[in-house]
Amino acid sequence: MVSEDKGMRPSMAVNLGGIQMRNPVNTASGAFGFGWQFEGFYDVGATLGAITCKGVSAEPWEGNPAPRMCEVTSGILNSVGLANPGVAGMLAKSGEYLQGLEAAGCRVIVQAVGHSVEEYVAAVERLEELAPWASAVEMNISCPNIARGGKLVGGTPEDAAEVVRAVRPRVSRPLLVKMGPVRVPEIARACEAEGADALSLINTVNAMSIDVHTRRSRLSRPTGGLSGPAIHPIAVRMVWEAANAVRIPVNGIGGVATWQDAAEMILAGATSVTVGTANLYDPVAARDVAAGLEAWVAEQGVADVNELIGAVEC
Ligand SMILES: Cc1cc2nc3c(=O)[nH]c(=O)nc-3n(C[C@H](O)[C@H](O)[C@H](O)COP(=O)(O)O)c2cc1C
């Protein structure tokens, strides 16, 4: 529908698989802390549609040794290794703040990680017990599976289906599955078939950077995950593939730094758009994306952002 009054603000509310968001803007797991780290820059609870917390396991994980982050052209490489304080540790420090975000209308998505199906189940059970107030649970299926020699837990449609099947009955609220940048249409369909309510993609892209003086990897491990503007066009393509493969909504992630990047994701088929690495070098990036997106929707002459989801013409 074309908006009759150009002066009226468009409706920006979206429904991401049962998560009612005031606007489509979310922040990426691991690249926005637990939200409170950004309070000195803007009012997170009054501004964002949602935040996605750093992935947590049932018990704390140390992660990989330093150096675990380095800058590359148009992005960063990280090998953090999913270091996290565990469910109870996260909630001891950030639980009260996160509940305040929910009360302010900013949806909180807690994220579970694991190295095996059993570890995912343990993490979501702890989240059900200790964080029942969070709007949704996301499972990051791009973790290495220890029993299978470090292969990604959700690296094939069969493996993704197995872990979603195990977790789904244990989560009483919307379940998002965070996918890596591999076999997107098939894995998206496998997650949908097992009851995922929405898909988040993409996670980082496996990459490498070498110090030519020392001839060593610039990280403590040979490879790491590439994020930031460098991966944006890859992410747009994969979001478009996923949105065309499934009926459940897609949360678009990857190199979103400006409202134009976010608008591209929406046109490609994303219902919500997530800002990650950009927060690390521009702490008000997500706020500015939310404001710019609203102005773009108005400028497009539509009354509701939902009219633009998947509206790319190819
Ligand atoms: C330092 C760092 C830590 C991350 N930790 C997680 C994590 O715990 N779980 C997860 O699903 N993704 C994690 N990610 C990936 C991001 O959530 C996001 O999918 C990826 O960075 C691509 O988006 P971007 O280009 O906007 O950063 C991490 C990324 C960075 C840079």
Side-chain angles (χ1 to χ4, degrees):
M1 192 185 78
V2 173
S3 168
E4 300 206 336
D5 180 355
K6 289 256 176 172
M8 251 174 60
R9 292 180 67 177
S11 170
M12 295 301 287
V14 293
N15 183 332
L16 181 70
I19 312 170
Q20 298 286 348
M21 293 169 60
R22 63 151 74 92
N23 66 48
V25 182
N26 184 1
T27 55
S29 178
F32 197 66
F34 293 103
W36 50 264
Q37 292 89 340
F38 289 76
E39 281 295 339
F41 299 100
Y42 63 98
D43 184 347
V44 173
T47 308
L48 300 180
I51 82 163
T52 306
C53 298
K54 171 80 189 157
V56 285
S57 37
E59 301 302 329
W61 285 354
E62 277 203 8
N64 293 324
R68 45 191 197 179
M69 286 234 266
C70 70
E71 271 187 59
V72 295
T73 308
S74 297
I76 59 174
L77 270 189
N78 90 81
S79 63
V80 168
L82 299 168
N84 78 83
V87 174
M90 163 181 84
L91 295 171
K93 194 155 181 184
S94 306
E96 207 178 306
Y97 171 78
L98 293 170
Q99 287 186 68
L101 288 188
E102 281 282 0
C106 172
R107 306 282 72 106
V108 175
I109 302 169
V110 287
Q111 193 191 71
V113 294
H115 292 126
S116 63
V117 171
E118 295 70 32
E119 285 189 8
Y120 280 94
V121 167
V124 297
E125 284 182 341
R126 290 289 273 167
L127 287 167
E128 285 291 300
E129 181 194 344
L130 299 178
W133 39 264
S135 284
V137 175
E138 178 172 89
M139 52 191 298
N140 169 10
I141 61 168
S142 308
C143 306
N145 185 331
I146 283 180
R148 298 197 187 157
K151 257 178 48 184
L152 291 189
V153 171
T156 66
E158 297 74 27
D159 290 352
E162 183 190 354
V163 68
V164 178
R165 192 180 310 134
V167 163
R168 174 68 277 187
R170 293 173 161 94
V171 176
S172 59
R173 42 200 154 161
L175 176 68
L176 283 74
V177 179
K178 171 88 175 271
M179 292 172 44
V182 290
R183 302 179 65 178
V184 167
E186 303 156 84
I187 293 177
R189 280 192 284 264
C191 295
E192 179 182 46
E194 296 299 339
D197 294 297
L199 302 172
S200 291
L201 67 150
I202 59 175
N203 214 316
T204 54
V205 177
N206 198 19
M208 187 171 192
S209 181
I210 299 169
D211 182 326
V212 296
H213 301 290
T214 62
R215 300 191 227 156
R216 299 177 70 91
S217 166
R218 293 175 65 213
L219 299 171
S220 65
R221 295 169 64 92
T223 63
L226 177 63
S227 63
I231 67 169
H232 181 65
I234 300 173
V236 173
R237 189 259 293 176
M238 291 183 169
V239 164
W240 177 73
E241 287 178 342
N244 283 300
V246 295
R247 287 167 182 271
I248 54 176
V250 173
N251 171 34
I253 315 175
V256 174
T258 64
W259 67 261
Q260 290 92 335
D261 301 330
E264 263 187 279
M265 285 290 196
I266 288 173
L267 291 171
T271 294
S272 60
V273 183
T274 290
V275 181
T277 296
N279 295 300
L280 305 180
Y281 60 85
D282 176 9
V284 295
R287 179 198 72 184
D288 292 353
V289 166
L293 260 190
E294 185 176 324
W296 169 70
V297 173
E299 178 259 337
Q300 288 292 307
V302 298
D304 188 326
V305 65
N306 287 280
E307 294 180 44
L308 295 170
I309 296 171
V312 63
E313 290 177 25
C314 296

